[in-house]
Amino acid sequence: MKPRILHLSFLTPEIRREVYNPLDLRHDGDLILRALGELADRIELDVHFVNDEPLLPFPKNGHEYDALIIGGAAYHVDELLNDLENNLWFSVLANEVKTFAEQKPAFGICFGHQLLGYIHDGKVAPMTEMEFETSKIVRLDCHKKHPIFHGMPEEFLAHSSHRDVVTMPVLDGVLAQSCMCHTQALNFKENVYGVQFHPEFIPEVMHTYASRRGKNPKIEPTPHAPLILQNFVRYCVLREEVK
């Protein structure tokens, strides 16, 4: 039986229609499947659109899944925390994700990375400048043999699109950084990871977002970035041994 992965997507119907559909994509779940390559045939990925069901940010059967992938969003953790009265869904979601990640593999992307940072006692705060470009990600020396980086170079390119950064109380779990973000990849606990960059993004998606924002950032191919998603699925979900 194939492992079942729940993907929490924060894409609105408008973004799905105007950014993804013209690229023959339904949503960011399709990008994740594309990033997984041949591993996509070995898992089942179900997408839950959080914004479509604000009263049910985490599906009722969510804890039945074998793993969790939390996608990016236009939300900012600090703003949500400062107005929880009008964002009760975030408290519900954070509690559900925390419970899930205590028992099963979880992987956060961008906002998902920040959410995992928050529930693991980290602080999420605005940066002085938004990182919206193809970034050079540098693995830290002490983690260069970490299985999540298996088959990846010590430095690689990845698409970044964020204005917040996670700071953890201890630095042991910091795996990689960029010149603008000191926590580009984090290992929160066994089989629970977050990346500030978007390993699933392709240049076409970045160009579309850039056009919508009136920006002209440096955008390059990122052939190695998807490997981190593949390694999460291969070693944390499928439980293969690192060769």
Side-chain angles (χ1 to χ4, degrees):
M1 191 175 189
K2 295 180 180 180
R4 299 173 63 223
I5 301 177
L6 172 64
H7 169 48
L8 297 179
S9 174
F10 298 85
L11 297 183
T12 64
E14 176 189 0
I15 293 297
R16 301 198 299 262
R17 182 176 62 252
E18 297 184 4
V19 175
Y20 288 79
N21 294 169
L23 298 174
D24 292 326
L25 299 165
R26 295 170 298 171
H27 41 64
D28 48 350
D30 283 347
L31 286 179
I32 289 173
L33 291 173
R34 176 173 173 161
L36 290 177
E38 63 181 19
L39 289 174
D41 293 330
R42 299 176 59 187
I43 58 100
E44 293 182 8
L45 184 74
D46 291 341
V47 181
H48 177 76
F49 295 107
V50 177
N51 288 324
D52 289 6
E53 299 186 63
L55 298 180
L56 190 66
F58 196 86
K60 292 181 179 179
N61 67 337
H63 294 282
E64 298 176 6
Y65 285 84
D66 301 295
L68 176 67
I69 295 177
I70 313 160
Y75 298 111
H76 305 288
V77 172
D78 60 324
E79 294 177 359
L80 293 171
L81 292 175
N82 288 333
D83 190 20
L84 278 179
E85 184 176 347
N86 293 312
N87 293 290
L88 293 178
W89 66 269
F90 179 72
S91 294
V92 173
L93 179 64
N95 288 332
E96 296 285 5
V97 170
K98 183 176 183 179
T99 300
F100 190 102
E102 286 174 347
Q103 307 171 51
K104 298 178 181 179
F107 190 93
I109 299 171
C110 198
F111 176 79
H113 165 81
Q114 297 163 12
L115 174 58
L116 286 173
Y118 164 68
I119 67 175
H120 287 93
D121 301 321
K123 180 181 178 181
V124 184
M127 303 165 62
T128 56
E129 182 182 354
M130 183 178 187
E131 185 175 23
F132 179 53
E133 62 180 4
T134 303
S135 306
K136 181 171 74 172
I137 310 298
V138 181
R139 295 161 54 184
L140 301 188
D141 289 342
C142 55
H143 295 297
K144 284 185 176 177
K145 293 185 178 180
H146 197 288
I148 203 71
F149 292 129
H150 185 68
M152 302 179 68
E154 295 180 3
E155 298 181 359
F156 59 94
L157 297 178
H159 300 304
S160 295
S161 178
H162 66 107
R163 72 126 170 110
D164 296 330
V165 63
V166 180
T167 300
M168 300 301 295
V170 295
L171 301 178
D172 293 352
V174 180
L175 305 180
Q177 60 189 11
S178 67
C179 64
M180 294 184 66
C181 177
H182 65 281
T183 51
Q184 277 283 2
L186 287 167
N187 182 194
F188 299 104
K189 59 188 292 277
E190 184 178 6
N191 294 330
V192 179
Y193 295 90
V195 292
Q196 187 59 72
F197 59 89
H198 284 269
E200 82 285 15
F201 269 15
I202 55 177
E204 292 85 350
V205 169
M206 284 290 285
H207 281 298
T208 303
Y209 277 122
S211 177
R212 289 173 62 90
R213 296 170 180 172
K215 304 285 186 180
N216 187 29
K218 176 189 68 176
I219 298 175
E220 302 179 52
T222 58
H224 296 105
L227 293 177
I228 200 165
L229 263 175
Q230 294 176 24
N231 288 335
F232 169 73
V233 169
R234 190 182 300 278
Y235 303 124
C236 299
V237 181
L238 296 173
R239 307 285 180 163
E240 293 185 6
E241 293 186 9
V242 181
K243 297 181 181 178

